């Protein structure tokens, strides 16, 4: 057994480069491959494979696809035809699970739960059916967030009756706790899923996918140690804090990493000029180019604020207009890039009228422009109300950009607040309030005017290690720990 590779199926709702909406897509598109490369199958490492839904936005022509199996899953209105295609990402096998239930147009996620519930409930059922079809008996199922949490619950329910799953352990990673999912019960009933004792969950959570997964998972981890602690509190526990406290001995935190090859200012082809910590002076050319690109006045000495965000209440974008009004007298310009909630998008756009010539709000998803904002702006504003891990602050630091962020979750874990010491890498503010943000912008501009101190902050940020390897090693250790424990339930 010990020389056999560990068999792990990693399931997620999105994965770059197939489909990426947020940080989950970054993680699912990089972490499994990194684990596979660090712990090769040939030397008894980890046979990890990825499965995601075959969303219509995935460009079929970009990937080499092979149909490997098809089967049916019982559905409310009759059997649902499911086709599985295999492709690869480097050495990582990737399964795209296609079915008649997937929307053929529109966004990947909807605010209307009646669209997303069938998609992700079916996916959760299908991955379990799929591994039986190809007779791949895994040691560990690693699921992420509400979209795939049901597979953890269903697997646990079937463990006793189906020998195929008897020795399979489960890990559920919490990227974003407040999104629980809903409306899955009729679909699960149609598929013949049985339910055990749910009384440990609050009554209102007993029919929701994420809580069901959290109830059943052998281990739970959050995407930073800070967030692992926070989800046990009333403020961040999304109503599940008391339940999660009962599981606290099975909860840990692992900070995500970023792909250092992809996010490298010395080779990034989207930038006007490449630079590195040794050639930091070259960075300023990216600022000039960015100002020119977005049509702001070319004033390279003025503090340039960047923001790259899903426009969601979580991200605290609404704190920005009043905070900027508070520091109206100070010299700054701002470039905001994001999409999401139409109301927040509108507010961001209105900022351009409030601050004529000083702000550009670009409402779209644009990976290359995001790179130029990381490289060209002096600071990245991350005023999140909560931030389980956050990748933008890590990318910012790698690009010599000094983040201003709310002291929460992964932001607090990865940014060291400015003080006179030789450790600080950014600026943190405590309260999700405009005045707290405004004070911190003022503090940052003060230090920005002292070029020696500012360059010190930039250099320290660029030298931090947020590489994927360190998170891949921690996940590997966790996989071994979970799979070596005997099944409790
Ligand atoms: P979340 O997963 O909550 O959205 P993260 O900070 O973990 O936030 O990850 C966000 C990722 O999405 C980063 O890679 C960031 O660069 C990218 N991103 C967010 N909004 C945009 C946008 N409008 N255009 C391009 N990239 C974006």
């Amino acid at each position: 057994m010990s020389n056999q590779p560990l068999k792990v199926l990693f399931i997620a709702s999105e994965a770059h480069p197939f489909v990426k909406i947020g940080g989950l897509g970054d993680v699912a598109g990089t972490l499994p491959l990194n684990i596979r490369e660090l712990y090769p199958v040939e030397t008894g490492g980890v046979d990890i494979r990825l499965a995601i839904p075959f969303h219509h936005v995935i460009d079929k022509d970009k990937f080499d696809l092979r149909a490997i199996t098809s089967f049916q899953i019982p559905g409310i209105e009759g059997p649902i035809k499911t086709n599985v295609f295999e492709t690869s990402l480097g050495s990582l096998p990737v399964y795209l699970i296609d079915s008649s239930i997937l929307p053929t147009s529109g966004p990947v996620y909807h605010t209307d739960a009646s669209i997303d519930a069938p998609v992700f409930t079916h996916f959760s059922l299908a991955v379990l059916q799929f591994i039986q079809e190809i007779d791949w008996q895994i040691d560990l199922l690693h699921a992420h967030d509400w979209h795939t949490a049901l597979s953890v619950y269903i697997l646990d329910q079937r463990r006793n009756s189906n020998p195929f799953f008897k020795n399979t352990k489960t890990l559920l990673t919490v990227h974003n706790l407040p999104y629980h999912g809903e409306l899955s019960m009729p679909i699960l009933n149609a598929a013949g899923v049985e339910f055990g004792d749910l009384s440990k969950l609050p009554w209102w959570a007993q029919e929701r996918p994420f809580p069901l997964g959290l109830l059943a998972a052998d281990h739970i981890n959050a995407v930073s140690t800070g967030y692992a602690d926070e989800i046990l509190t009333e403020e961040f526990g999304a109503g599940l804090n008391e339940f999660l406290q009962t599981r606290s001995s099975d909860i840990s935190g692992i900070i995500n990493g970023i792909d250092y090859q992809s996010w490298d200012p010395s080779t990034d082809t989207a930038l006007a000029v490449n630079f590195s910590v040794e050639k930091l002076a070259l960075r300023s050319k990216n600022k000039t180019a960015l100002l020119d690109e977005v049509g702001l006045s070319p004033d390279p000495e003025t503090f340039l604020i960047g923001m790259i965000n899903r426009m969601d209440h979580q991200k605290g974008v609404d704190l920005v207009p009043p905070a900027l009004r508070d520091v109206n007298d100070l010299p700054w310009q701002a470039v905001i890039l994001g999409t999401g909630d139409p109301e927040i998008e509108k507010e961001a756009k209105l900022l351009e009228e409030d601050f004529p010539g000083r702000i550009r709000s670009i409402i779209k998803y644009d990976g290359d422009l995001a790179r130029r904002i990381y490289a060209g702006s002096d600071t990245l504003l991350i005023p999140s109300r909560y931030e389980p891990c956050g990748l933008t602050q890590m990318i910012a630091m790698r690009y010599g950009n000094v983040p201003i962020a709310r002291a929460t979750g992964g932001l607090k874990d990865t940014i060291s607040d400015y003080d006179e010491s030789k450790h600080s890498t950014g600026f943190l503010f405590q309260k999700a309030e405009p005045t707290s943000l405004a004070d911190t912008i003022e503090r940052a501009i003060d230090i920005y005017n002292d070029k020696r101190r500012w360059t010190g902050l930039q250099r320290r940020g660029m030298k931090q290690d947020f590489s994927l390897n360190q998170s891949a090693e921690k996940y590997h250790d966790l996989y071994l720990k979970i799979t070596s424990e005997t099944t409790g339930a």
Side-chain angles (χ1 to χ4, degrees):
M1 176 79 188
S2 59
N3 275 337
Q4 291 295 316
L6 196 69
K7 286 171 279 179
V8 180
L9 181 62
F10 190 108
I11 53 174
S13 54
E14 56 174 284
H16 178 78
F18 302 99
V19 43
K20 171 183 150 177
I21 309 300
L24 173 59
D26 283 309
V27 175
T30 51
L31 177 65
L33 174 59
N34 212 258
I35 292 175
R36 203 172 167 104
E37 284 175 348
L38 277 180
Y39 305 97
V41 173
E42 299 72 38
T43 53
V46 186
D47 180 3
I48 187 168
R49 307 180 193 180
L50 169 69
I52 58 171
F54 202 155
H55 297 289
H56 73 88
V57 294
I58 296 175
D59 185 350
K60 295 175 181 57
D61 299 330
K62 251 174 81 180
F63 306 99
D64 206 9
L65 301 176
R66 196 164 62 87
I68 47 170
T69 182
S70 60
F71 50 86
Q72 294 188 332
I73 300 279
I76 295 173
E77 285 160 14
I80 298 163
K81 178 114 196 275
T82 308
N83 298 309
V84 183
F85 295 85
E86 183 172 2
T87 182
S88 58
L89 208 54
S91 61
L92 178 77
V94 179
Y95 302 116
L96 302 175
I97 315 276
D98 197 9
S99 80
S100 50
I101 215 152
L102 280 162
T104 51
S105 62
V108 172
Y109 303 119
H110 301 81
T111 38
D112 180 355
S114 69
I115 306 177
D116 284 0
V119 169
F120 295 112
T121 310
H122 173 266
F123 177 75
S124 299
L125 288 157
V127 285
L128 298 181
Q129 183 66 31
F130 164 62
I131 52 178
Q132 293 179 90
E133 296 285 332
I134 62 165
D135 197 22
W136 191 46
Q137 207 161 9
I138 57 175
D139 300 299
L140 182 74
L141 180 71
H142 184 180
H144 300 263
D145 274 356
W146 81 264
H147 319 91
T148 50
L150 279 174
S151 60
V152 169
Y153 183 77
I154 301 163
L155 188 150
D156 187 48
Q157 283 302 107
R158 292 184 174 166
R159 241 181 213 149
N160 290 334
S161 56
N162 186 344
F164 190 84
F165 296 119
K166 194 167 177 290
N167 296 316
T168 303
K169 297 294 180 59
T170 56
L171 169 63
L172 181 54
T173 299
V174 180
H175 298 253
N176 206 335
L177 185 62
Y179 296 88
H180 294 165
E182 55 185 317
L183 305 183
S184 292
M185 281 323 211
I187 308 165
L188 294 175
N189 285 329
V193 174
E194 289 175 12
F195 295 88
D197 178 11
L198 303 176
S199 62
K200 286 192 183 142
L201 288 173
W203 64 268
W204 53 264
Q206 293 177 3
E207 297 197 345
R208 296 187 180 181
F210 210 174
L212 288 171
L214 293 167
L215 176 71
D218 290 305
H219 193 88
I220 296 164
N221 86 293
V223 287
S224 66
T225 48
Y227 196 52
D229 292 338
E230 284 175 350
I231 59 175
L232 304 180
T233 66
E234 199 177 340
E235 185 180 358
F236 298 100
L240 296 171
N241 42 300
E242 284 182 17
F243 157 69
L244 288 170
Q245 282 164 21
T246 68
R247 297 227 50 193
S248 61
S249 58
D250 299 317
I251 300 178
S252 56
I254 298 179
I255 192 88
N256 293 328
I258 54 171
D259 181 348
Y260 266 31
Q261 273 178 332
S262 163
W263 298 107
D264 183 350
S266 70
T267 55
D268 192 330
T269 52
L271 306 191
V273 178
N274 291 115
F275 60 97
S276 60
V277 72
E278 292 79 25
K279 293 187 178 158
L280 189 53
L282 291 174
R283 186 179 190 275
S284 64
K285 296 207 165 71
N286 289 293
K287 183 169 178 178
T288 324
L290 176 64
L291 290 170
D292 186 46
E293 177 177 355
V294 301
L296 289 173
S297 64
D299 191 356
E301 287 308 308
T302 300
F303 189 60
L304 182 60
I305 297 169
M307 210 168 159
I308 302 165
N309 250 337
R310 270 187 305 116
M311 297 225 163
D312 187 287
H313 181 72
Q314 174 202 340
K315 299 291 181 180
V317 189
D318 53 303
L319 304 179
V320 176
L324 288 181
R325 257 176 232 120
D326 260 17
V327 292
N328 192 22
D329 294 342
L330 298 176
W332 54 260
Q333 295 175 300
V335 186
I336 297 172
L337 173 68
T339 51
D341 183 330
E343 277 304 308
I344 304 178
E345 287 181 355
K346 209 158 71 190
E347 267 177 49
K349 209 61 202 160
L350 280 175
L351 272 175
E352 290 190 345
E353 290 169 28
D354 284 5
F355 299 95
R358 291 178 83 182
I359 294 191
R360 277 289 165 270
S361 295
I362 301 156
I363 309 300
K364 64 174 173 178
Y365 191 94
D366 186 335
D368 282 350
L369 177 57
R371 289 171 179 275
R372 291 192 284 276
I373 296 177
Y374 287 119
S377 58
D378 296 301
T379 189
L380 199 74
L381 277 198
I382 318 172
S384 306
R385 292 200 158 75
Y386 68 92
E387 194 59 74
C389 173
L391 298 177
T392 60
Q393 80 279 16
M394 300 188 214
I395 304 168
M397 286 185 258
R398 177 120 169 105
Y399 279 62
N401 182 313
V402 182
I404 295 179
R406 167 102 199 286
T408 182
L411 297 170
K412 195 172 59 182
D413 284 5
T414 50
I415 299 169
S416 172
D417 188 23
Y418 182 79
D419 55 22
E420 295 296 325
S421 75
K422 293 258 180 277
H423 304 290
S424 36
T425 50
F427 298 87
L428 292 173
F429 63 99
Q430 296 298 325
K431 291 193 181 143
E433 291 169 2
T435 46
S436 192
L437 173 57
D439 289 349
T440 311
I441 294 174
E442 191 170 348
R443 197 154 64 92
I445 292 179
D446 215 34
I447 304 302
Y448 174 73
N449 289 330
D450 181 336
K451 288 293 168 247
R452 194 183 54 80
R453 288 203 172 115
W454 189 261
T455 312
L457 277 169
Q458 289 180 297
R459 286 187 196 285
R460 280 196 292 280
M462 292 179 89
K463 286 182 187 161
Q464 300 291 306
D465 181 7
F466 299 122
S467 66
L468 276 171
N469 282 4
Q470 43 111 22
S471 84
E473 282 165 17
K474 290 188 184 123
Y475 273 103
H476 176 252
D477 291 349
L478 185 59
Y479 288 177
L480 292 182
K481 177 174 175 286
I482 300 168
T483 52
S484 64
E485 282 164 1
T486 48
T487 307

